[in-house]
Amino acid sequence: MRWALVKVCLAVTAMVVVAFAIPLGLVVKEMARDRAFSNAERQAATIGPALAITTDREELQRAVASTSAGSDGRMAVHVPAPNAGGPARDAEGGTGADPGSGGGEASEGRAPGASAEAAGEAASGAVEIGEQRAGEQDLAIATRLGRASISRVPGGFVLLQPTAIGSGAVAVVEVFVPDDEVTNGVTTAWAVLAGVGIALIVGSVAIADRLGTRMVRPAKQLAGAAQDLGEGKLGARVPEEGPAELRSAAVAFNSMADQVVQLLANERELAADLSHRLRTPLTVLRLNAASLGDGPAAEQTREAVAQLEGEVDQIIRTAREQKPQTRGPLGEGSGCDAAEVIRDRMGFWSALAEDEGRKVRLAGVDRPVRVPVARPELCAALDALLGNVFRHTPEGTPFAVDVHNGEDAVIVLVSDAGPGIEDPDAALRRGHGDGGRGSTGLGLDIVRRVAESTGGDVRIGASVLGGTEVRIWLGLDGHRTSPAKKGHRVVRRRRGGRPSGRRVAN
């Protein structure tokens, strides 16, 4: 949003600068041109009084030399000859000639040398002062029309200013205006306009960036707080600042976060209260178990009651905590030895398996296998899987537990020779089922959450024993690893033994 606002402001400012700078630049250029020709007209006008008094060459030369254009060699004066047969002009000015006569032929008698020029003027009566740059046709047109005109010549322009003389004829004053004078100051003015335009664009972009930052910062804070809240950081709140809309969103988010915290607190209190109600029947069970005397069955019963009491206490403590539990990385004391845990739990379930005539196979637990899972959670996951084997398979059905230790993951396989699970996906959904055959309630969901806490997953497929195989993938680096990359085939097995086309770990 910030860059979008900057781009819009940049585009708008650039269009405004172009819309004003280009016409203004053209106006500056035209003003410089008008200034140059106006100056030329003023200089040409200074010769008018001299031409009205006399057409003497020396007098006119002095008048031309007194002007800046004349001193620079940029002024010329063209005085036509009097009419043929008419009275000659005396020193005082004499009688005039026909204004329309011979304007276009004033320079025909000019000679390259000064003496030749004087001789020509004496013969024709015309006077030529300065260097002629305009063409004969332009001079004739200016004489005939009797008004100033501008003509293009190599290196610049010439201003032709017709002036009536005492004889009644029309003399032409020619002023040369070079290109440099016509464009004098235009480049500097254009550079100033360009600098002003660039400064306006940069300033507008800077202001737009500041405004965008003022708008984007609250939005980023809101997004970050939402992400933190989603990660379980219940104390995340948003400062109520910025535009009115974002302030309203911040107020709504903070209110929602407060409601979430309150709801979670209520849920924890409810879970703690419900768990605390189990203490009374557990106390009765513990007393009854103590009166059973000695024997394997009595010992197992007392051990199960003690474990149940420990689980209830753990539930109450967890529910009472104000902050969610976090697990550190492997090696910080937060993990456990999966092989030791599996041996311990298999020791508990093996006694029941012996009573029901089940064959048990255990492999891969002869050496330590560290996993980033707390011991109570791994025990709960294993008890859920092994409990399902005893609950949903007939007596005498064999089962096996295998542990595979890899570089980045530990795989625990629990397989049996039972009838299998009709819908593995439904079995992994929390609380699915009604307690009948194939229903797993919350057991497999507990297993799934334990695996996903390490970046792993859970798969259900067909086992080599002919029944169900549950594979728990426990990641060691916290990143989810695809089963396909490890070469494990996962195949769903429908009831009756027919595979559905998915692959199963081999």
Side-chain angles (χ1 to χ4, degrees), residues 17-31 189-190 193:
V17 169
V18 170
F20 282 93
I22 291 180
L24 190 57
L26 296 177
V27 169
V28 169
K29 181 179 179 181
E30 191 64 27
M31 289 177 62
W190 283 5
L193 288 175

Side-chain angles (χ1 to χ4, degrees), residues 3 5 41 44 59 66 94 162 164 195 199-200 234 242 270 279 324 338 350 360 363 381 440 456 467 474 482 501:
W3 287 113
L5 183 61
E41 288 179 357
E59 296 291 337
S66 65
L200 288 175
L234 302 181
L270 178 61
R279 288 185 177 276
S350 296
V360 180
T440 58
L474 301 175
S482 174

Side-chain angles (χ1 to χ4, degrees), residues 263-282:
L263 290 174
L264 290 177
N266 294 338
E267 291 294 331
R268 285 194 297 266
E269 292 298 329
L270 178 61
D273 292 342
L274 293 177
S275 300
H276 193 272
R277 295 179 185 180
L278 297 176
R279 288 185 177 276
T280 299
L282 279 176

Side-chain angles (χ1 to χ4, degrees), residues 338-339 342-343 346 360-366 369 378 382 385-386 399-406 409-416 462-465 468-474 488 505-506:
I342 292 174
R343 288 196 303 267
M346 286 298 294
V360 180
R361 180 173 61 85
L362 182 62
V365 295
D366 53 343
V369 180
L378 185 59
L382 290 172
L385 293 178
L386 296 176
F399 66 94
V401 177
D402 300 298
V403 180
H404 301 276
N405 188 11
V410 173
I411 303 174
V412 179
L413 302 177
V414 179
S415 55
D416 61 63
S463 71
V464 294
L465 299 178
T468 301
E469 178 184 79
V470 180
R471 188 210 62 182
I472 311 175
W473 189 289
L474 301 175
H488 292 274
N506 50 13

Side-chain angles (χ1 to χ4, degrees), residues 4-275:
L5 183 61
V6 169
K7 290 177 182 178
V8 170
C9 188
L10 176 63
V12 172
T13 307
M15 288 189 294
V16 171
V17 169
V18 170
F20 282 93
I22 291 180
L24 190 57
L26 296 177
V27 169
V28 169
K29 181 179 179 181
E30 191 64 27
M31 289 177 62
R33 176 187 175 93
D34 293 342
R35 183 178 62 250
F37 289 122
S38 296
N39 187 34
E41 288 179 357
R42 286 195 301 270
Q43 295 186 30
T46 60
I47 307 300
L51 288 172
I53 296 173
T54 180
T55 57
D56 182 68
R57 178 181 179 82
E58 294 181 358
E59 296 291 337
L60 293 178
Q61 284 180 339
R62 284 195 293 271
V64 169
S66 65
T67 63
S68 60
S71 62
D72 294 341
R74 295 187 290 108
M75 180 180 288
V77 178
H78 309 284
V79 180
N83 289 336
R89 183 176 180 83
D90 56 15
E92 292 22 0
T95 60
D98 187 0
S101 63
E105 301 174 356
S107 61
E108 291 180 359
R110 237 186 313 175
S115 59
E117 182 179 353
E121 290 178 357
S124 62
V127 177
E128 295 290 337
I129 299 174
E131 180 184 357
Q132 176 182 342
R133 292 180 174 84
E136 297 294 341
Q137 184 178 3
D138 294 333
L139 291 173
I141 293 174
T143 302
R144 184 174 67 252
L145 297 179
R147 62 173 180 267
S149 63
I150 299 173
S151 301
R152 178 70 177 175
V153 295
F157 300 85
V158 290
L159 171 70
L160 302 177
Q161 178 66 56
T163 304
I165 59 178
S167 63
V170 177
V172 178
V173 179
E174 174 186 335
V175 181
F176 174 67
V177 182
D179 289 330
D180 293 341
E181 187 172 345
V182 173
T183 59
N184 184 27
V186 174
T187 303
T188 303
W190 283 5
V192 172
L193 288 175
V196 171
I198 293 174
L200 288 175
I201 292 175
V202 172
S204 65
V205 169
I207 294 174
D209 182 70
R210 295 297 300 173
L211 293 176
T213 301
R214 183 172 176 268
M215 296 176 61
V216 170
R217 183 185 297 113
K220 287 184 177 180
Q221 291 175 345
L222 181 61
Q227 184 175 0
D228 291 342
L229 187 64
E231 293 175 355
K233 300 176 182 178
L234 302 181
R237 296 296 184 272
V238 182
E240 298 174 5
E241 59 184 18
E245 294 79 4
L246 291 177
R247 288 199 302 270
S248 300
V251 171
F253 176 85
N254 293 337
S255 177
M256 178 196 68
D258 293 338
Q259 291 293 329
V260 169
V261 172
Q262 185 62 37
L263 290 174
L264 290 177
N266 294 338
E267 291 294 331
R268 285 194 297 266
E269 292 298 329
L270 178 61
D273 292 342
L274 293 177
S275 300

Side-chain angles (χ1 to χ4, degrees), residues 393-487:
T393 60
E395 293 186 5
T397 302
F399 66 94
V401 177
D402 300 298
V403 180
H404 301 276
N405 188 11
E407 295 181 358
D408 56 356
V410 173
I411 303 174
V412 179
L413 302 177
V414 179
S415 55
D416 61 63
I421 298 177
E422 293 184 7
D423 193 347
D425 291 336
L428 289 173
R429 290 199 297 268
R430 180 174 176 82
H432 180 79
D434 54 1
R437 179 172 294 276
S439 172
T440 58
L442 299 179
L444 287 180
D445 178 71
I446 294 174
V447 178
R448 178 183 58 81
R449 287 190 287 114
V450 169
E452 290 180 351
S453 68
T454 66
D457 58 9
V458 175
R459 291 290 185 270
I460 299 177
S463 71
V464 294
L465 299 178
T468 301
E469 178 184 79
V470 180
R471 188 210 62 182
I472 311 175
W473 189 289
L474 301 175
L476 299 180
D477 54 1
H479 299 287
R480 182 177 295 276
T481 306
S482 174
K485 294 182 180 179
K486 297 296 182 179

Side-chain angles (χ1 to χ4, degrees), residues 284-305:
V284 175
L285 288 177
R286 182 166 53 83
L287 294 175
N288 292 337
S291 64
L292 292 178
D294 298 332
E299 186 63 28
Q300 292 177 7
T301 303
R302 285 191 287 269
E303 184 178 351
V305 172

